[in-house]
Amino acid sequence: MNTRTTRVRLGALLTVSLFALAGCATTPAESPAETSLPAAEAVSISDAWVKSAETGMSAAFGELTNDSDADITVVSVSSPASSMLELHETVENESGQMVMREIEGGFVIPADGSLLLSPGGDHIMLMDLTDPLTAGAETTFTLTFSDDSTLEFAAPVKDYAGANENYEGDMDMDMDMDEHSDMDH
């Protein structure tokens, strides 16, 4: 009789244990980070170009396209053409003047959308050129996204006389805002 009671208890314990293990063995749903591509694989750039300049500052432009179903943020940029780069926006200051400034949080490329980098708008600012940027040359850039993935691209250098915004902090890039609409992409 004692053997039978032990077997019943052992069987019940085994059944409960199997149910518990079966619950632990189910495959958890993958988190969004595990199912989505790195940002660098979802973003492309087209019509990239850089304004020619002998010294000082310049800017890079183009169109960033996001083929994913989530917003993607560019948090920084680097290039051998400059020792100091910033992601800039152009906004109206308190006196009504259009000025360039570093954009807080970086560029957000909307899900299944694009972000235009253009004179007089969002752009990549090269603030300390390492060498002259001569029309006809090419330089490279590396974008870093919020997920730490990176995208490298090359951009040709072009002569351009427009988009003379002021840099917030009284730095002048020698670009005329009124002429930015004459730009060829």
Side-chain angles (χ1 to χ4, degrees):
M1 183 92 159
N2 196 6
T3 304
R4 186 171 188 268
T5 305
T6 303
R7 283 186 189 168
V8 170
R9 286 184 182 161
L10 184 59
L13 182 60
L14 185 57
T15 302
V16 169
S17 297
L18 288 174
F19 280 121
L21 286 175
C24 291
T26 60
T27 305
E30 292 185 33
S31 70
E34 294 172 313
T35 59
S36 63
L37 294 173
E41 291 183 29
V43 173
S44 60
I45 187 162
S46 59
D47 300 323
W49 64 281
V50 181
K51 181 186 182 294
S52 64
E54 288 296 314
T55 60
M57 294 187 280
S58 184
F61 312 102
E63 186 168 11
L64 295 167
T65 301
N66 174 359
D67 291 327
S68 77
D69 59 0
D71 291 353
I72 293 177
T73 303
V74 179
V75 295
S76 67
V77 61
S78 62
S79 172
S82 176
S83 63
M84 183 177 169
L85 290 96
E86 292 181 353
L87 304 173
H88 274 200
E89 63 182 345
T90 304
V91 296
E92 188 174 329
N93 67 11
E94 34 312 312
S95 65
Q97 183 181 20
M98 296 304 288
V99 295
M100 297 179 293
R101 69 177 181 200
E102 187 170 15
I103 189 167
E104 288 189 36
F107 294 143
V108 176
I109 311 165
D112 294 315
S114 62
L115 174 69
L116 183 62
L117 304 179
S118 64
D122 293 340
H123 57 277
I124 297 169
M125 190 77 193
L126 295 84
M127 299 179 73
D128 184 25
L129 297 179
T130 55
D131 290 306
L133 289 171
T134 308
E138 187 175 84
T139 192
T140 59
F141 293 86
T142 302
L143 300 177
T144 301
F145 300 97
S146 58
D147 68 355
D148 291 327
S149 65
T150 60
L151 172 68
E152 187 171 307
F153 68 93
V157 178
K158 296 181 180 183
D159 284 330
Y160 180 67
N164 291 318
E165 302 98 344
N166 290 321
Y167 179 74
E168 194 169 66
D170 297 326
M171 295 176 88
D172 182 19
M173 189 174 156
D174 190 32
M175 295 178 124
D176 182 6
M177 285 264 309
D178 296 330
E179 298 177 26
H180 81 275
S181 62
D182 297 332
M183 177 184 74
D184 291 328
H185 281 289

